[in-house]
Amino acid sequence: MGKTVAEINEKIRDGAAVVVTAEEIIDIVADRGVAQAAREVDVVTTGTFGPMCSSGAYLNVGHSKPKIKLGGGTVTLNGVEAYAGFAAVDLMIGATALQMDDPRNRVFPGAFEYGGGHVIEELVAGNEVELVASTYGTDCYPRKKLATRIRLEDLNEAVLFNPRNAYQNYNCAVNLSDKPIYTYMGILKPNLGNASYCSAGRLSPLLNDPLYRTIGIGTNVFLGGGTGRVAWWGTQHDPEVPRSEAGVPRGGAGTLALIGDLKKMSSRYLVGVSLRGYGASLSVGIGVPIPVLDEDVCRFTAVTDADITAPIVDYGRAYPNATGEIIGEVSYEELRTGKITVNGHEVRTASLSSYPRAVEIAETLKQWIADGRFLLSQPVQPLPRPGDGYTFRPLKERPPANDTENAGTDC
Amino acid sequence: MYSHRIVLHFPENVVEDPLICRLARRYDVQFSVLRAEIEENRGGMMVLGLTGDNGVVRDALEFLEGHGVEIEPLQQDIRIDADTCTHCGACVGQCPTGALFVEERDRTVALDSEKCIACQQCVPACPYQAIQVSFH
């Protein structure tokens, strides 16, 4: 006999819901069996915290006197380029945007000390951020220049809107080349000098609901220390990747697009990131509650690090050239020991996502639900699931119509 | 038995003298070179992990000092900003000596200063700019 989200919410309102984290459910299922665990536990909370480049925030800064039309102009926030291709005073700041005068990788490897992720962190921390705009004048928006300081609390709307977060599993990155390389997976030393992975494993939201039975569009989540919603499936969502017999994807698969009120978030869970030689980004804290509707849902939440494997990928050659080759597979249980064996060599492992902070998020969300401050929501539409035929496709390059360089010539 | 990490500062005029090679041939000491560099306009610098009988080590160090080499104990000051560090572990993968490691108990990142050779590889690897190493 199953439970419904409405029934679980009733228990949450009554303070009677049994809420555990995705770590705790593992022992509960092992001790009591899945049938009893499914009856006794109502909600399992998950968590993850790591760099998620496809993140950003849109802001409405309000109208100046006289009015200015930022749309179509150029705008910077603390020198970082913002996107202004909207209406008069709507802006978007992306996590990987950089300051105009950042040397990028001209001096390699670039430091990328300050970017859009840092601007978002500063706004959330309550710091003043400098907005400088230059645009064209119109009859209704005559002003052409604006330089002012903004604060989060003065903005009309400030909304975190991330096109792709919470990747369901990810690569374990190594470097087979003979030079150090600087990647979004961190610095990879030559000749298998280290291995980098980036997933909360058994605590990771989509790895606890691998077939997207409970997480869907509209799901209420912990986002950046506040609350948010699953707005859509994330970009590059790929439910058709190979899976284990238990349904766990054996590589990057599902993703979530998330949205939430930036004003209610915290700079503990939205942190600017500098990846040497790669760029700026934003680490995002996410926690998704999973309603234990039935035994199947419960069994999935009891996934362990031993059940989840990551493909080992050479970022020296295979990744940049999109060859799709993998060197092997490794479980998160092995990765967390600190060393793995690749091609007969012992290789030190390190995580780019923070497991302690993922635990903190799962615990916080558990507390919110136990206190009746956070209710679950029934998705309004499922995410594309395995078998739906939805896949992540590469770009098919076709030369532009008048591109003589790529199209070739007879002369 | 002497077993310590020391910093040798070579004056410019002995940079090309194979002093360490001569040290190895003349004295029964064991050492590993943890770090070595030529400093611009300042001669050379080397960090040695040195082990040997007390008397032999004393003689060996006197030999080096006799050639103008300044010797001091390794003192590194590695600071991880507790407010900024998220305990991800990105630094751990860079650390060549295992000085930075993940605590098994709660998976936080910890530092064993005894093992740190102040190589500073962790500094650029930290995505949160949380690590500073000063070396003297």
Side-chain angles (χ1 to χ4, degrees):
Chain A
M1 200 183 68
K3 288 175 255 183
T4 66
V5 169
E7 286 165 356
I8 294 172
N9 276 340
E10 206 53 47
K11 283 177 137 180
I12 295 172
R13 283 193 201 94
D14 293 345
V18 176
V19 191
V20 303
T21 69
E23 271 187 339
E24 293 164 337
I25 191 70
I26 294 171
D27 286 344
I28 294 172
V29 167
D31 291 347
R32 305 177 203 169
V34 86
Q36 190 182 340
R39 277 196 306 276
E40 292 177 0
V41 176
D42 299 305
V43 185
V44 173
T45 60
T46 63
T48 188
F49 180 90
M52 304 191 199
C53 293
S54 241
S55 299
Y58 66 81
L59 321 171
N60 180 286
V61 299
H63 290 287
S64 58
K65 280 188 187 178
K67 289 184 175 178
I68 186 167
K69 178 180 179 293
L70 303 179
T74 58
V75 179
T76 61
L77 297 172
N78 279 354
V80 177
E81 295 174 277
Y83 181 72
F86 299 114
V89 289
D90 286 339
L91 300 172
M92 185 140 197
I93 178 80
T96 66
L98 295 170
Q99 289 178 322
M100 297 285 208
D101 57 359
D102 189 297
R104 271 78 174 168
N105 261 341
R106 282 195 290 275
V107 180
F108 190 79
F112 302 101
E113 282 178 2
Y114 196 87
H118 300 88
V119 173
I120 293 170
E121 179 186 344
E122 287 217 56
L123 280 170
V124 173
N127 298 342
E128 289 193 318
V129 166
E130 211 169 282
L131 181 155
V132 175
S134 166
T135 185
Y136 61 94
T138 75
D139 289 340
C140 45
Y141 293 92
R143 196 161 166 185
K144 295 179 184 169
K145 290 204 180 298
L146 177 65
T148 184
R149 288 173 295 163
I150 60 170
R151 283 182 308 186
L152 190 67
E153 63 182 272
D154 298 333
L155 302 175
N156 290 307
E157 286 81 23
V159 180
L160 190 75
F161 188 16
N162 304 341
R164 180 173 67 255
N165 281 173
Y167 233 122
Q168 186 182 25
N169 208 346
Y170 212 77
N171 296 336
C172 167
V174 296
N175 176 13
L176 293 181
S177 81
D178 57 7
K179 295 190 178 78
I181 57 172
Y182 298 83
T183 76
Y184 66 86
M185 293 295 283
I187 303 172
L188 299 173
K189 297 181 178 185
N191 304 312
L192 288 169
N194 60 331
S196 175
Y197 63 100
C198 192
S199 170
R202 62 188 181 184
L203 255 189
S204 181
L206 287 171
L207 286 170
N208 279 276
D209 183 14
L211 305 177
Y212 329 121
R213 281 206 48 205
T214 70
I215 302 172
I217 296 166
T219 295
N220 201 11
V221 301
F222 172 112
L223 179 60
T227 60
R229 299 269 179 187
V230 176
W232 204 248
W233 56 89
T235 53
Q236 300 184 188
H237 181 71
D238 192 7
E240 301 293 347
V241 301
R243 289 170 185 262
S244 72
E245 274 182 33
V248 181
R250 288 159 56 193
T255 66
L256 300 174
L258 298 175
I259 192 163
D261 187 352
L262 194 66
K263 292 192 178 195
K264 295 187 176 146
M265 296 186 190
S266 146
S267 55
R268 180 161 182 81
Y269 301 105
L270 290 175
V271 186
V273 162
S274 302
L275 293 163
R276 182 67 56 132
Y278 180 74
S281 188
L282 180 71
S283 274
V284 182
I286 298 162
V288 181
I290 296 176
V292 182
L293 302 176
D294 55 34
E295 288 181 26
D296 277 348
V297 170
C298 188
R299 188 177 297 111
F300 284 134
T301 62
V303 70
T304 68
D305 283 339
D307 302 326
I308 311 166
T309 59
I312 304 169
V313 176
D314 172 26
Y315 276 60
R317 190 184 65 86
Y319 185 87
N321 294 303
T323 68
E325 291 164 84
I326 68 166
I327 301 167
E329 289 182 306
V330 63
S331 77
Y332 283 88
E333 187 177 47
E334 293 168 277
L335 286 166
R336 296 217 187 276
T337 64
K339 5 178 212 227
I340 57 171
T341 302
V342 183
N343 288 351
H345 299 274
E346 191 174 90
V347 182
R348 291 193 77 186
T349 62
S351 170
L352 196 56
S353 75
S354 168
Y355 193 82
R357 201 149 296 183
V359 172
E360 188 179 300
I361 289 165
E363 290 285 355
T364 304
L365 182 56
K366 173 181 155 180
Q367 198 58 49
W368 287 357
I369 297 170
D371 293 348
R373 286 186 284 151
F374 184 105
L375 293 176
L376 311 190
S377 45
Q378 180 73 39
V380 294
Q381 184 183 329
L383 306 175
R385 291 170 171 153
D388 288 353
Y390 192 91
T391 57
F392 169 36
R393 294 163 298 165
L395 174 68
K396 276 188 198 155
E397 286 187 68
R398 291 174 295 150
N402 55 1
D403 181 354
T404 50
E405 192 181 324
N406 281 323
T409 150
D410 290 336
C411 16
Chain B
M1 181 65 81
Y2 177 100
S3 185
H4 290 288
R5 289 181 169 164
I6 55 172
V7 185
L8 312 180
H9 294 283
F10 298 81
E12 257 182 296
N13 61 338
V14 299
V15 160
E16 291 187 34
D17 190 341
L19 283 176
I20 296 300
C21 178
R22 289 165 61 194
L23 177 92
R25 286 181 177 164
R26 192 174 298 185
Y27 301 95
D28 182 20
V29 291
Q30 289 186 25
F31 60 84
S32 48
V33 179
L34 302 173
R35 190 172 165 198
E37 60 193 40
I38 303 290
E39 298 171 312
E40 199 174 345
N41 301 324
R42 288 178 55 199
M45 186 279 286
M46 183 177 276
V47 180
L48 285 187
L50 184 61
T51 304
D53 179 80
N54 282 333
V56 180
V57 168
R58 190 185 58 235
D59 292 347
L61 295 181
E62 273 174 13
F63 162 77
L64 290 173
E65 282 171 335
H67 287 80
V69 178
E70 283 177 35
I71 301 168
E72 57 186 3
L74 174 65
Q75 290 179 348
Q76 76 278 6
D77 186 9
I78 174 166
R79 280 198 301 273
I80 303 179
D81 185 333
D83 292 333
T84 314
C85 173
T86 70
H87 298 277
C88 63
C91 55
V92 173
Q94 303 299 317
C95 180
T97 63
L100 286 159
F101 63 101
V102 175
E103 292 272 16
E104 207 165 313
R105 178 174 41 87
D106 57 3
R107 293 189 178 168
T108 54
V109 173
L111 170 72
D112 180 348
S113 317
E114 290 291 306
K115 290 187 179 171
C116 175
I117 55 168
C119 70
Q120 304 182 56
Q121 289 187 51
C122 52
V123 176
C126 176
Y128 305 98
Q129 303 172 47
I131 308 180
Q132 285 186 319
V133 177
S134 57
F135 179 77
H136 42 91

